[in-house]
Amino acid sequence: GFRYPTLFDFFTARVRSLLHVALLMNPSNPTFVHRCESNPALYTRCSMIWQAGWSQAAMESLPRETVFREIDEAQLPEPQRGPLVQSMLAIHRMHEPRGGTPRQYTAFCDMWRQVFVAERAQQTDRIGKLRGGLAKLTEAAREVDKLQRVATEQRAELTVKQREADAAMEQIQKSMERAVERRGEVETLQQKLSTEEVEMGVRKKKVEAELEEVQPLLEEAKRAVSGINKDNLNEIRSLKMPPEPIRDVLEGVLRLMGNFDTSWISMKRFLGNRSVKEEILNFDSRKITPEIRQGVLDLLAKKGNSFEHAVIHRVSVAASPLASWVRANLEYSAVLIKVEPLLRANDELQAELASSKERLDKCLGVMRDLDEKVQRLKDDFATKTAEAERLKASLQKAEEVLGAAMELLEKLSGEQTRWEAMEHDLSAESSALPANVMLSAMFITYLADEQEAARQSFLQQAAELLHRAKLSSSESFDLLGFLSSEGELLKWKALGLPSDRLSHENGIVLTRTKQAPFVIDPSSAAVE
């Protein structure tokens, strides 16, 4: 039967059976006892699991399994790992009386890994650069020896090449004396050509002078045509029966351009061409034949009124420039007819000039044979001279480089000694890096909430502990010098951070820690 007195008893029994709540409580908290006494069900209705701390084996395995596994043997040799684990555990034990928890130990190990990887990479980079510089100095010394040997060989070779160049020069002088005799005839022909070219230029100027008067009219007409609006042309095309002046002007344009179909359909097709303005502007007046010119003149004689500016401009703004263009081309073609005799005479002179050039080419052919012979001799001389100059320049450059290299090596001898000392110091610091990283990780993890005096005291104790474990050669440690640089401290100062040591240490903690920091800042320096 039903063994619960009431429905509520049944409900509470089911809750206790099916609902399980886990409470995590810190026995080191000052309110722990009060909370337990205020809730007796914690004793009567709960199962209690008391976890006082991690075992020794668990504490030792944490850095081995989570930290050292990610660091290879070259960065952290195996013989150092055992003492490091013991030192980490000893440092944590040092802080357990102050409330050090396994969680802090985990954060301590993780912080050690983070700082170690970063500092080891930076240190390796610095050592690599120093060794690279020393290798370059050694390579430079070997290069200097090589340059000395090359310079000696080039001096001997240069003497031989200079003698060969002198012999080639003598042969060139003899050949060029024979070539000079043939060059006189070529010069005579060239003078004749020059005279003919001058005469042709005079005739050309006469032609240009005749065209000069009418050329501005043609150019002005072209500028007017270029300013015609496309909409105005479309307006003319849209007309079913155009006014007579427009039809007369378009007929004159078509006739000048060699199109004798002067129907209105042909005119509309011409105006509808997208490049109609370009065709008009690029029209060559020399294509106007006497027959075409006479036909257009007859048109102007009959319909001259249509080509008057006042008349055609009143009828159509677009057709007015076309009328000016027709008149300008007629005038230009008239001048072309006038200067035709001059142009024909110029062509005849051009033919004579071509004949003289042909004769000159034949003479030059003879000269080329002589020049080729001389050129072969010159090439031979140039080759020998170039080889001598190349050797001379190479020798000069080698001697300059050799002198500069020897001077540089002499100046860098002291620098090489300093770099070797720096490499030795960095290599020595490399062995103490794990210990210095451990002190830095301890400070960030355990000492961020301590006063300045307590910080220094714990740092000193930990440094002595690591010294006794033979992980460090010094019993002191400078946190600021290890985790910050002068540039970083100056940057913080420029941002408003006070320049005292405590503020600098707090800045290092805030920029390095992975935990959420609790900042006590009564002066609001952090937010300002």
Side-chain angles (χ1 to χ4, degrees):
F2 190 73
R3 55 189 179 87
Y4 299 100
T6 65
L7 186 60
F8 180 74
D9 292 335
F10 172 73
F11 173 74
T12 56
R14 295 288 290 174
V15 170
R16 284 195 298 271
S17 173
L18 300 178
L19 179 63
H20 300 278
V21 179
L23 298 177
L24 303 180
M25 303 180 69
N26 184 4
S28 63
N29 194 294
T31 62
F32 176 74
V33 176
H34 174 70
R35 289 177 177 173
C36 290
E37 292 175 349
S38 301
N39 298 277
L42 292 174
Y43 297 103
T44 61
R45 298 291 185 179
C46 297
S47 299
M48 185 176 295
I49 301 175
W50 187 271
Q51 181 70 32
W54 289 1
S55 65
Q56 179 78 11
M59 299 286 277
E60 291 180 356
S61 64
L62 179 65
R64 292 186 181 276
E65 297 298 326
T66 63
V67 178
F68 296 161
R69 179 174 292 182
E70 299 179 7
I71 301 174
D72 56 36
E73 183 76 15
Q75 292 184 330
L76 186 65
E78 185 62 34
Q80 290 186 5
R81 302 191 179 200
L84 282 174
V85 171
Q86 298 302 322
S87 298
M88 284 182 173
L89 189 54
I91 288 176
H92 177 70
R93 299 297 186 200
M94 183 190 303
H95 294 281
E96 281 186 337
R98 300 174 48 252
T101 63
R103 179 174 176 272
Q104 282 185 307
Y105 181 64
T106 302
F108 172 50
C109 294
D110 187 59
M111 180 55 63
W112 184 93
R113 179 191 59 78
Q114 175 187 340
V115 177
F116 178 81
V117 171
E119 294 296 327
R120 177 65 80 185
Q122 183 178 4
Q123 192 178 71
T124 301
D125 182 63
R126 291 178 62 192
I127 293 176
K129 289 180 179 178
L130 283 173
R131 289 176 178 172
L134 291 171
K136 290 294 182 182
L137 289 177
T138 302
E139 181 182 352
R142 289 197 297 267
E143 189 66 22
V144 168
D145 293 338
K146 179 181 177 181
L147 287 174
Q148 288 177 333
R149 293 193 300 271
V150 171
T152 302
E153 294 172 358
Q154 289 180 343
R155 290 189 189 97
E157 189 176 356
L158 177 60
T159 302
V160 175
K161 294 298 180 183
Q162 285 177 337
R163 291 174 181 171
E164 293 177 353
D166 293 339
M169 186 62 188
E170 292 180 3
Q171 294 182 359
I172 290 176
Q173 289 175 347
K174 295 178 181 179
S175 298
M176 290 188 68
E177 288 174 358
R178 293 192 296 269
V180 169
E181 298 174 358
R182 301 290 299 175
R183 200 171 300 276
E185 182 181 357
V186 172
E187 291 177 354
T188 302
L189 286 173
Q190 288 176 337
Q191 290 176 358
K192 181 180 179 182
L193 284 174
S194 177
T195 302
E196 292 176 349
E197 287 175 350
V198 170
E199 184 179 352
M200 187 173 66
V202 171
R203 294 181 180 180
K204 183 178 180 182
K205 286 182 180 180
K206 290 181 179 179
V207 173
E208 291 175 349
E210 293 289 341
L211 295 175
E212 198 172 52
E213 295 180 1
V214 72
Q215 185 70 34
L217 297 176
L218 183 60
E219 294 298 328
E220 182 179 354
K222 287 184 178 180
R223 283 195 297 271
V225 170
S226 65
I228 296 175
N229 194 312
K230 189 68 176 178
D231 294 336
N232 293 335
L233 293 177
N234 292 333
E235 182 180 349
I236 295 175
R237 288 181 61 218
S238 65
L239 298 174
K240 293 183 178 180
M241 291 297 294
E244 184 176 353
I246 294 177
R247 188 182 186 94
D248 294 339
V249 169
L250 290 177
E251 181 179 351
V253 172
L254 291 177
R255 284 180 174 277
L256 281 180
M257 299 184 73
N259 186 352
F260 298 100
D261 182 3
T262 58
S263 64
W264 176 235
I265 295 176
S266 175
M267 294 178 182
K268 290 174 66 176
R269 184 167 55 250
F270 172 72
L271 293 176
N273 190 352
R274 291 185 178 180
S275 60
V276 60
K277 288 170 60 176
E278 287 73 14
E279 290 181 5
I280 295 174
L281 293 175
N282 297 327
F283 178 71
D284 187 0
S285 301
R286 293 178 177 83
K287 294 182 179 179
I288 301 176
T289 64
E291 293 78 8
I292 292 176
R293 184 173 183 276
Q294 187 59 47
V296 178
L297 285 174
D298 293 342
L299 176 64
L300 261 70
K302 294 178 181 179
K303 303 291 184 68
N305 188 54
S306 298
F307 290 84
E308 294 295 331
H309 176 75
V311 175
I312 190 61
H313 188 75
R314 186 172 58 253
V315 175
S316 172
V317 175
S320 178
L322 296 177
S324 300
W325 180 82
V326 170
R327 291 197 305 271
N329 272 280
L330 287 175
E331 293 182 21
Y332 194 82
S333 63
V335 174
L336 289 177
I337 293 174
K338 180 180 179 181
V339 298
E340 185 179 357
L342 289 175
L343 292 175
R344 189 165 50 251
N346 204 38
D347 291 340
E348 293 174 357
L349 184 59
Q350 184 72 30
E352 293 179 6
L353 183 63
S355 176
S356 298
K357 287 184 176 180
E358 183 179 357
R359 292 196 303 273
L360 177 61
D361 290 338
K362 292 180 180 179
C363 293
L364 289 175
V366 177
M367 281 294 302
R368 277 194 294 272
D369 294 338
L370 292 173
D371 289 340
E372 287 176 2
K373 181 178 180 181
V374 173
Q375 188 60 46
R376 287 193 297 271
L377 294 172
K378 285 183 176 180
D379 291 342
D380 184 47
F381 173 74
T383 300
K384 292 180 171 57
T385 304
E387 291 176 355
E389 289 297 324
R390 179 183 57 80
L391 287 172
K392 184 178 180 180
S394 178
L395 177 60
Q396 183 178 0
K397 183 178 179 181
E399 290 176 343
E400 291 176 356
V401 173
L402 179 60
M406 294 180 68
E407 182 180 357
L408 180 60
L409 284 178
E410 184 178 354
K411 292 180 179 179
L412 290 178
S413 59
E415 195 71 14
Q416 182 176 7
T417 303
R418 188 173 68 86
W419 288 355
E420 290 173 347
M422 289 175 63
E423 182 192 9
H424 180 269
D425 293 342
L426 284 174
S427 299
E429 291 175 8
S430 178
S431 61
L433 181 63
N436 292 336
V437 171
M438 191 177 300
L439 293 173
S440 303
M442 179 199 74
F443 185 92
I444 295 172
T445 305
Y446 295 105
L447 302 180
D449 58 347
E450 290 290 345
Q451 298 293 329
E452 190 171 5
R455 291 177 176 181
Q456 297 304 319
S457 175
F458 278 112
L459 274 178
Q460 184 63 35
Q461 293 178 43
E464 293 174 356
L465 184 150
L466 294 174
H467 179 68
R468 290 193 298 272
K470 298 182 178 180
L471 292 174
S472 174
S473 59
S474 175
E475 295 183 4
S476 61
F477 175 67
D478 180 15
L479 178 73
L480 297 182
F482 184 72
L483 286 184
S484 65
S485 63
E486 189 70 24
E488 187 176 30
L489 296 180
L490 290 175
K491 180 180 178 182
W492 289 351
K493 183 177 180 180
L495 294 173
L497 185 71
S499 57
D500 58 280
R501 183 180 183 85
L502 180 62
S503 297
H504 288 167
E505 291 177 351
N506 291 339
I508 289 175
V509 172
L510 289 174
T511 54
R512 295 275 186 164
T513 184
K514 285 188 174 181
Q515 304 178 55
F518 178 66
V519 180
I520 300 175
D521 186 22
S523 62
S524 299
V527 297
E528 292 177 358

